[in-house]
Amino acid sequence: MDIGQSSQGGRGKNKRSWTKAEEEVLINSLLEMTTDPSWKADGSFKSGFKNKLEEKLNDKFPGCGLKVVPHIESKIKWFRDKYNVLSEMFRTSGFSWDEEKKLILCERQSYDDFCKQHKNAQGLWNVPFPFFDQLATIYGCDRATGANSETFVQVVGNQQNETINLDKDQTDEDDDIEDTESVNQSNQSTPGEPSSKRSKEKTPKGKLRKRNLSGFMSDMNTHMSTIASALSTTQQHEQVIMAREQEVEEQKKTLINELLNVPGLTRYEALLASKKLASNPSDLSLFYQSPDDEWKKDFVLNLIHPHIRSNDSA
């Protein structure tokens, strides 16, 4: 059973199992809304999108009884939690992704250790998660800079607002300084004291404006550095995936010849092995990593005859 086909979607007595067809409609509807500016802008879905999802689901499956609360709301949270923890897992050494089977690849001990620190990772071991790519499109931008961080548009917009507020605040502050200093100087100055001496005691507006501008630029640089770092991490992850996919395709092209060159294998055995290896990138990679022909032969025989042990391994 795919991990998506779970009983998530409700609380207490309202909990119900989702069918795979229902999940697919939910995910596809979210994908449509992701590219629709009337439903999603600045990295966030707009108010009312869950009601629209309820409408779509009930139109597609009349009488299904799926409601925003508790079913759709908790299912969306469950999908997002699983996507986020998988994204975190792939940034951890020892973890990779089987694109063909939609499974995580790692040692069981590494997975168990990861679950101790990330409870949402439980239930992912050796269980397909078919919606990861779609969820990457739906939530990828949010995850790239952290679940609670600002998008690029929000950063610029907020910084512009801060500039307006700074200008307003500093004008008011300058006026207060001048008014206060004028009163103090009127009370404290002695008759005949030069006015030029009193004016030197005022806080120059230029210094205050310079301090505010400096703080603004510092905050802006911090925001941009965070965004650049997140984008770089995402691009590196995509490059690794693309490189692995290209390597698999190259290995498939030479697979038949590689198998036929293994001494002791019949053409029929080579044909059976090629089908199995081509459909499983993990086994394909292990086959090419075999140190010599004897290893490759044993690997192939074990693959196509899993219940028969070779003489060398007996």
Side-chain angles (χ1 to χ4, degrees), residues 86-102:
L86 279 170
S87 299
E88 185 69 28
M89 187 180 290
F90 297 148
R91 288 195 290 271
T92 304
S93 177
F95 291 88
S96 59
W97 180 249
D98 187 330
E99 184 63 29
E100 190 78 22
K101 295 183 177 180
K102 304 298 181 182

Side-chain angles (χ1 to χ4, degrees), residues 62-80:
C64 66
L66 290 170
K67 300 292 183 182
V68 171
V69 178
H71 310 119
I72 297 172
E73 186 178 83
S74 59
K75 188 65 172 180
I76 289 175
K77 181 181 183 300
W78 185 83
F79 269 133
R80 182 161 187 164

Side-chain angles (χ1 to χ4, degrees), residues 18 50 65 87 105 139 152 161 164 166 224 228 266 276 294:
W18 286 63
K50 293 175 186 175
S87 299
L105 298 175
Y139 297 124
F152 178 80
N161 291 335
I164 295 172
L166 284 173
M224 296 304 293
T266 66
K276 289 181 175 292
E294 286 299 316

